[in-house]
Amino acid sequence: MNQISWSFTHYFQILKTCIAERNLLTGKSLYTLYIKSLVQPSTYLSNYFILLYSECGRLSAARKAFDATPDPDVFSFNFIITAYAKESQVRVAHQLFDQIPQPDLVSYNTLISAYADRGDTVPAVNLFVRMRGVGSNMDGFTLSAVITAACDDIALISQLHSVALGGGFDSYVSVNNTLITYYGNNGYLDEAKRIFYGIDEIRDEVNLELYDFGIWPKP
């Protein structure tokens, strides 16, 4: 029994190392052992293979690993959604998202960010509204992504700024960075300055490259 436990532990440690080092060759060998049932199949292990192939940029292999996963859970879906999002296949990512019985914070953030990266305001905002409607928790990354998706819609950016203030998310560096960037890009320099000079203790963490936008002169 101890030998079996040790063997599984060793196998799992090698798999995690393959993911960290993006070692596709060894990872594929481990997966061959897995699908031949030489290692007990489980959703937990399958998720790591989805992640392995995703990290190595092998979308089709990641999808095959996902489809072969017994009883996929929210982590399974999150990994494969991330894989599709990285390849800019947001439509497929959204289809998979809709299959999750109970999407979590990572599910929402991944898909909202994918839409934001494409400049797709409406679907990103719709997801954000849906997220709030079902009472799902959000974080600073959620707001940063939706603000990015808002792009040049200054009215929406202002509304999201109010949400940040009301929820205490104005303490997040990512939220302040994004607000400063998009207020500045849209010509609202006074608002951008107000945020920057009001963040006090976290100011040093804010990306000082924002000076390059010409929002205010360097000191």
Side-chain angles (χ1 to χ4, degrees), residues 79-94:
F79 287 144
I80 193 62
I81 287 170
T82 299
Y84 276 102
K86 288 197 303 187
E87 298 296 325
S88 299
Q89 296 193 33
V90 185
R91 182 181 61 83
V92 180
H94 201 147

Side-chain angles (χ1 to χ4, degrees), residues 97 119 122 143 172 199:
F97 175 90
V122 173
L143 274 174
Y172 282 73
I199 57 182

Side-chain angles (χ1 to χ4, degrees), residues 56-96:
C56 292
R58 297 296 191 271
L59 178 58
S60 60
R63 182 58 188 261
K64 288 179 181 178
F66 172 79
D67 290 338
T69 299
D71 302 316
D73 56 19
V74 69
F75 299 104
S76 315
F77 278 99
N78 286 345
F79 287 144
I80 193 62
I81 287 170
T82 299
Y84 276 102
K86 288 197 303 187
E87 298 296 325
S88 299
Q89 296 193 33
V90 185
R91 182 181 61 83
V92 180
H94 201 147
Q95 290 173 346
L96 288 161

Side-chain angles (χ1 to χ4, degrees), residues 11 14-15 18-19 22-36 49 52-53 56 58 61-62:
Y11 176 91
I14 295 174
L15 175 56
C18 288
I19 294 170
R22 292 180 171 82
N23 185 338
L24 181 61
L25 184 60
T26 303
K28 288 172 68 175
S29 298
L30 294 175
Y31 191 62
T32 298
L33 295 175
Y34 183 62
I35 60 176
K36 288 184 176 180
F49 283 110
L52 167 71
Y53 287 123
C56 292
R58 297 296 191 271

